[in-house]
Structure formats: structure tokens, C-alpha cells
Amino acid sequence: MKVINFTMIVIVVVVLSLLSCDTSTHTQPADAIAFNAIEKVMKSEFGENACYTNLTISYNKTTGSSINTIVTNAPKSLKMEKWNSTQNIWKKTSDIFIEVPNGTKAKDFMFQLNDTINLSTLGDLVEKSSKQLQQEKNIEKPALHLATIKFPKNGDVSKTEYCIMLKPENGDKTFSFFYSIDGKLIKMYS
């Protein structure tokens, strides 16, 4: 009888522990660690070599992080897919066919998540922007509204920008930060 009770207690504790381990990315705070986790999820979902033309992460206090992206694993096909993820549920919303100028490759107009362009850097810049707002504008608890990778239409990787939009926790004013690919602030405005 005591062995059965002890066994039941152990089983209940293990099950509760597993249930309480939330590995979902949508509930994590908007910081470098969370963005790195999102990148890992995206690489798991779309592959290490996936090519993107659009990647936007928005944050809502109620639903957490939402991800919108346009992605392909076959750039030569000129076919891409538009996907979004809300509360860790991925949904394909459409197929997109792109056109590229003659003599160019579709991949020249796409980016990959790697050492040059990555979500960890984007997360670091979200944290940096938040601290800047707290220090310069005396805004307590600025929250991520939107973070995106702006890849230039001409395919010049060096012109890629990280764009971050923050809002005060209790306010409507949006503060926008634009950074170069190497993390230097280009401009900030409200």
C-alpha cells in the first residue's frame, strides 16, 4: 500500500513537472534569449538553409509573440510561402510567386538566418532600445510592439536594417529604432 502511494506521488510529481515546463516561445519576454529561441524554432520548422524575404515578430501582452514570415527552401523555384505563428501554432496562409530581374538569382533577394543576420542580434537591439527609452525618455517598462528585419529590395545585404518599435506599457505612442546590420543606430523617432 505504501509502495503504491509513493509510486503514485512520484508519477504525479513527474507529470506536473512536465506540464509546468513551458517551452513555447510565444510566452517568453522580448529579449535576446527569447529571440534566439524563436530562431531555433524557425530553423526547426523551415530548415537551417531556409531563405526569407520577410520576417516580423510582434508582441501582445495577451497572446505573446506572433511571427509572420515569407520563406522558401527552394529559391530557384521562385515560389515562397507565407506563414504565421500565434501561440506556437504555425499556419501557412498563402503561396507567393516572385519575379526577379533577368540575369539575377532569386536567392540574391533573400536572406538566411545565420551569423550575419540573426534573431539574437535583433533581440539584443530590442533590449538596447528599451534601455535607451528608459534612460532618455523616462519611460518605464517599454514593451515590444514589433521587430522586423528589413532586407533591401536590391539584395545588398550590407543595407539590411533591424527595425524595432516599442510602446510604453500603458500608452499609445510608438518609438521606432532603426539599426544597421552591424547594430549601429541609424535613427530613432516617435
Side-chain angles (χ1 to χ4, degrees), residues 79-140:
K79 178 184 174 193
M80 301 192 79
E81 298 173 339
K82 186 172 185 178
W83 287 82
N84 64 43
S85 171
T86 304
Q87 297 183 334
N88 269 13
I89 299 170
W90 284 97
K91 182 180 179 183
K92 180 180 164 187
T93 58
S94 65
D95 288 324
I96 298 170
F97 293 90
I98 61 171
E99 292 181 20
V100 296
N102 287 334
T104 62
K105 296 177 186 173
K107 194 170 181 176
D108 294 341
F109 301 92
M110 301 175 189
F111 65 91
Q112 292 180 296
L113 295 174
N114 53 33
D115 292 338
T116 306
I117 300 173
N118 59 70
L119 296 186
S120 181
T121 300
L122 185 58
D124 284 337
L125 295 173
V126 169
E127 291 180 46
K128 181 179 176 180
S129 301
S130 180
K131 287 176 185 168
Q132 184 176 341
L133 270 185
Q134 290 171 352
Q135 292 170 351
E136 292 180 11
K137 304 285 185 184
N138 246 359
I139 295 176
E140 291 185 35

Side-chain angles (χ1 to χ4, degrees), residues 27-40:
T27 57
Q28 295 183 7
D31 60 18
I33 294 168
F35 277 57
N36 194 38
I38 290 170
E39 183 169 329
K40 286 178 182 176

